[in-house]
Every structure is written in C-alpha cells, then in structure tokens.
Amino acid sequence: MRSRPGASIMLCYGTRPQIIKASVVRRALGRTFKVLAVDSGQHYDYELNGLLYRQLDVPPPDHYLEVGSGSHAEQTAAVLLRTERLIAEARPAAMVVIGDTNSTLGAALAAAKCRVPVVHVEAGLRATDALMAEELNRRIVDACARLLCTPCASATARVRREHPDGVVVETGDVARDVLLTALPRVPAACEFPGGSYIFATLHRAELTDDVPLLEAVLATLADLTMPVVLAVHPRTAACMGGIDRILSFGGGLQVRWAVGYLESLALIQRASAVVTDSGGVQREAYWLGVPCLTLRRETEWLETVEAGANQVVPPVAQDQLAGAVREAVDRPRTWDRDAYGSGHAGERVAEAVAGLLRW
Ligand code: UD1
C-alpha cells in the first residue's frame, strides 16, 4: 500500500446486505488505499451483523456509529451527523457507499456537503415507485455521487442519461464476487430438511408493515405441497409480534431465525425454488441456477426476469402463488448468468476510485 496524506477512503455501510458487499469492496480498496471502515449499526442483531463479519472474515470496523433502529429521519440524521464528524477528523479523499439504505443516504449527504467526492456502488438501479424509501435513497445518492459504479448495462445506460456529468463505470455486481469467494466454504453439513424444499425470505416494509397481507402470504406458504424453509428476518418477527406467531402457521412451514450468509447460500443452492422479496437472494438464486419467485410488485433486477430465472408475483396475488411455485420448480435452469459481471467488481471499483483520484 502506498501512503499519501489525505488518501484514506471512507467506506460506510450498516445493513446485512451492505456488510456482505462491503467485505469485498474493503478488501479491494485496501490493496491501494488506507480504508476507514464505518459501520453505522443500522442492523445490529448478531445474525445481521457480527455473524457476517465472522463468516466473511472481515476485521471489525474502524468506527461503529451505533445508530440502531428509528424512523427514517432519525436513522438518516444520525448517520449524517456522525459521519460528518468523522469526515471532519479524517478528511478522507473519497466516501464510498453501497446500495440504498438510510446509512447510504446519510453518509453520502454528509460527504457531499463536505465536498468529499461520493462513490456510489450499485448505482443506477430503479423501481417505478419513486417514493419507496430505498428508491428515494438511491435516486438522491446517485444525484450527489461523483463516481457511479453500476452492476449492469441497464443501470449504466440509465445513469449516463440521468447524470451526464458523473463518472460512470460499469463494474459489475460486488455481490457476485462475495458469492464466488464464499462458495467453497458453503457448509456441506448445514442442517437441511430431508428431500425437496422451497427456501423463503420475507423482510421488506411493503409486506411486513401490512400484517394481514403478511399473514395471508405465510398461510399460503404453509399450505404449499412442498415444505418451505423460511429464514425469518428480525423485522418480520417483530411485525408479527414474535416468532411464535409465525411458528403457529404450522403446515409445511419450517421456521428458522435469520441464518448466516454461508447457510443462506447453502439453502438457496439446494432449494427446488426460492420465494423472496430480497434483492440479494434474487441474484444469488440467478447465479446458483435456482428458479426464483419475487414476492413484490416489481424488481430492480430485471435481467433475472428477462433471463427466465425470476418471476415477479405481487404478494396480493395469493391465488397465483401455488401455481407459480409449481411452474418455477419445473423451470429449465439453463439461463445465462452473466448479466451482472463476472465476479471482479471489487477490483473494478478500486481501479475506478484510483482513476477518479488520479492516484
Ligand atoms: C434490501 C434493500 C436494502 C436494505 C435491506 C434490509 C433493496 C434493493 N435493498 O436489500 O437497502 O438494507 O433490504 O434488509 O431494496 N441472507 C442471510 N441470511 C438470511 C437471509 C438472507 O445471510 O437469513 C443474505 C442473502 O444470502 C443475501 C443478503 O442476505 O446475501 C440479502 O440481504 P437482505 O436483507 O435480504 O437485503 P436485500 O433485499 O438484498
């Protein structure tokens, strides 16, 4: 590593998917720069934070902001204030943020206001619902980013159109790097249900905040002819008043608390199909050749649908779900898996940052 005053890069993240993706970005940046890793603490449960550091062999962050739960304004404001202080002390050469969370927004705004160039990893994704919390975050972060690192061609075209002054680099998706690195360590002896099963994850606010809808989805999953392994996100458990309420659905529902990243990959890899509202799980199913049903009104990861790997089923369409699962299980698994790069996105992000800073 070459050392140059002021050439540290601040990397801010704070939720489960960001801790996973930051593992690769931090390692790649660390080959050239001094990296100051900042974990906002937006996700603080062991399964959504500490376990991932351990499984992905990531050193603890340099700064832990302890932002925790709160309203969107509380979380964003806490990250904004606390990263602003860190920026004033460390004077980083750039701020790297990932995805679309309140932590992404707070850190990007703090940096932009201090005139520290913002690097947005996973730039250019869009949903049509402009007021969805994550959508609002990603549009604002793209708008204040100096360097936009995109995961795929459609995102590249979009940010080139929307932000002609930004530096746009199509790096590919860092989540693929993490997956390829982790695959050899996917636990062979992870506890699996005997025989075929569907793997399910549900956590997004659009579903969990509508408890009657969430209950209807759980009832449908419990009634499927194939067993369903459901990894329960703490938010989903909280919205249902505790995991016992989810356990009470019985039927074919096999309820587990949120699993580690390696177990999540293992459960996806061996599933007959996946039912999810997670962005990460949709792509992992696509890369691992497992048919996916996305329980949302839309997906940002359109290439997975175009490839024939993924089908969007709105959660209100309960009657379609059982039929869609049957079709998904029989779907040929022959799709092309390269829409989001080849697994070298972390290096490309680091090269793009070096290029931006003329390092
Ligand atoms: C979404 C949001 C993101 C937000 C997050 C909150 C989008 C595009 N992104 O990300 O901004 O921070 O929700 O959670 O809307 N996994 C486990 N254990 C499990 C289940 C999943 O390790 O029990 C792993 C998956 O293998 C995957 C990652 O977690 O790698 C996905 O994280 P998830 O919480 O589902 O977030 P996203 O939907 O990707």
Side-chain angles (χ1 to χ4, degrees), residues 183-193 197 256 262-263 266-267 269-270:
L183 268 185
R185 291 186 295 121
V186 162
C190 165
E191 204 191 309
F192 293 103
Y197 65 91
R256 298 184 186 190
L262 297 178
E263 289 80 8
L267 284 162
Q269 197 172 32
R270 295 178 193 203

Side-chain angles (χ1 to χ4, degrees), residues 306-334:
E306 287 159 8
N310 190 8
Q311 183 191 344
V312 175
V313 181
V316 284
Q318 295 300 310
D319 47 335
Q320 288 176 25
L321 193 57
V325 168
R326 271 194 303 277
E327 276 170 31
V329 167
D330 293 334
R331 209 181 282 160
R333 300 171 169 218
T334 49

Side-chain angles (χ1 to χ4, degrees), residues 19 24 70 72 78 164 168 170 203 224 264 268 276:
I19 294 169
V24 155
H72 286 283
V168 179
E170 190 172 314
H203 75 278
L224 293 178
S264 171
I268 296 169
T276 191

